Amino acid sequence: MLRIHFTSEDLARTRIATTADPLWEIALSMYRLAGRRGGSAFAVWRSRARHDLARTGGTATALRVLAPLFPSTSSYFPDFLTSPDGGLGLEAGVDAVLSTPWRLLRRELDKLAGRTGTPSWAWGLADGRRDAFHNLQHGLHTYFDTAIAPYWSDIQSMVDADRAVRGRAFLDGGVGGTLAGFRPVMRWEPPVLSLDHPVDRDVHLGGRGLVLIPSYFCWGRPCPGRSRTAAGAGLSDPTS
């Protein structure tokens, strides 16, 4: 269970992002592509995306680069792949990913290796190898352009519709009413927001606030933004 503790200042600084985050959509769609959870809901997208990704050697290579970083056998993937700068757009997000300090790269790749194994090419990231960073940059851009960008207008339409629902909840009940509206996937019992999580943990925002990020490809339960939760930003909202 993850319990997020709010102060009055945190409530004042809580907001819902205006758009989906390209880096989170890449990460979460990789799991939908593998067929884990939400199978029928994403069947049409999965079929089209697999066809488009297999159509050329370039996209197939991109998928081979990314797939081991988002292993279908585990819900864990390296946190640096969902930099908070993704909220500023794909280019800003990818630039931030590529600027991750090498110690953090090494630590998270070690963690991935301990759970599912790490692709050999990825160790070059921690060693500062230019070809490794080129592979990752190419993989993120090509996968997004092929599997997500063609559907971005539909994704944004769903985000806008969801924000309208949350906006009405805010008008009726303030931030507390908005947070209460996320049941059953999140439970608001002032001043604590709780959600299922594999690790029992308490996070005290300490006045930094929370950003709720709508996501098309999140399914079943919200996905805590690990580094961002610690830094006062957010959660992915699975309702879009």
Side-chain angles (χ1 to χ4, degrees), residues 138-197:
H138 174 76
L140 291 169
H141 275 287
T142 304
Y143 178 82
F144 182 87
D145 290 345
T146 305
I148 298 178
Y151 311 96
W152 195 254
S153 61
D154 292 335
I155 291 172
Q156 188 59 45
S157 292
M158 296 192 73
V159 167
D160 291 341
D162 188 71
R163 279 173 53 83
V165 172
R166 306 304 170 191
R168 288 193 291 273
F170 177 81
L171 290 174
D172 291 339
V175 176
T178 301
L179 295 176
F182 286 100
R183 282 186 176 268
V185 294
M186 293 188 284
R187 297 164 294 285
W188 174 240
E189 297 173 349
V192 180
L193 182 68
S194 303
L195 61 150
D196 293 335
H197 193 262

Side-chain angles (χ1 to χ4, degrees), residues 7 52 98 136 146 187 190 198 216 218:
T7 65
D52 292 340
L98 299 177
L136 181 57
T146 305
R187 297 164 294 285
Y216 177 79
C218 191

Side-chain angles (χ1 to χ4, degrees), residues 20 74 79 84 90 102 136 138 145 155 179 187 201 211 219 225 227:
S74 172
D79 193 25
L90 181 65
W102 71 267
L136 181 57
H138 174 76
D145 290 345
I155 291 172
L179 295 176
R187 297 164 294 285
R201 183 184 178 197
V211 177
W219 183 262
S227 64

Side-chain angles (χ1 to χ4, degrees), residues 16-201:
I16 298 176
T18 59
T19 184
D21 182 316
L23 294 182
W24 271 106
E25 296 305 274
I26 289 173
L28 297 171
S29 69
M30 290 294 295
Y31 289 97
R32 305 294 83 81
L33 192 68
R36 294 186 64 212
R37 305 176 69 189
S40 59
F42 296 97
V44 173
W45 170 82
R46 184 183 300 108
S47 177
R48 291 176 179 172
R50 285 175 174 171
H51 174 269
D52 292 340
L53 286 165
R55 188 172 51 194
T56 68
T59 51
T61 300
L63 190 58
R64 286 196 296 270
V65 166
L66 294 183
L69 297 176
F70 302 98
S72 61
T73 57
S74 172
S75 60
Y76 174 78
F77 60 86
D79 193 25
F80 72 85
L81 293 169
T82 50
S83 166
D85 285 1
L88 302 176
L90 181 65
E91 290 292 340
V94 172
D95 286 347
V97 169
L98 299 177
S99 300
T100 304
W102 71 267
R103 286 187 176 87
L104 178 58
L105 288 168
R106 170 65 66 175
R107 183 166 66 247
E108 295 190 355
L109 291 174
D110 281 340
K111 187 174 181 180
L112 179 66
R115 298 196 179 197
T116 62
T118 297
S120 58
W121 72 264
W123 290 113
L125 296 171
D127 295 334
R129 285 175 46 187
R130 184 173 298 180
D131 60 326
F133 282 94
H134 173 77
N135 285 340
L136 181 57
Q137 181 183 40
H138 174 76
L140 291 169
H141 275 287
T142 304
Y143 178 82
F144 182 87
D145 290 345
T146 305
I148 298 178
Y151 311 96
W152 195 254
S153 61
D154 292 335
I155 291 172
Q156 188 59 45
S157 292
M158 296 192 73
V159 167
D160 291 341
D162 188 71
R163 279 173 53 83
V165 172
R166 306 304 170 191
R168 288 193 291 273
F170 177 81
L171 290 174
D172 291 339
V175 176
T178 301
L179 295 176
F182 286 100
R183 282 186 176 268
V185 294
M186 293 188 284
R187 297 164 294 285
W188 174 240
E189 297 173 349
V192 180
L193 182 68
S194 303
L195 61 150
D196 293 335
H197 193 262
V199 177
D200 192 65
R201 183 184 178 197

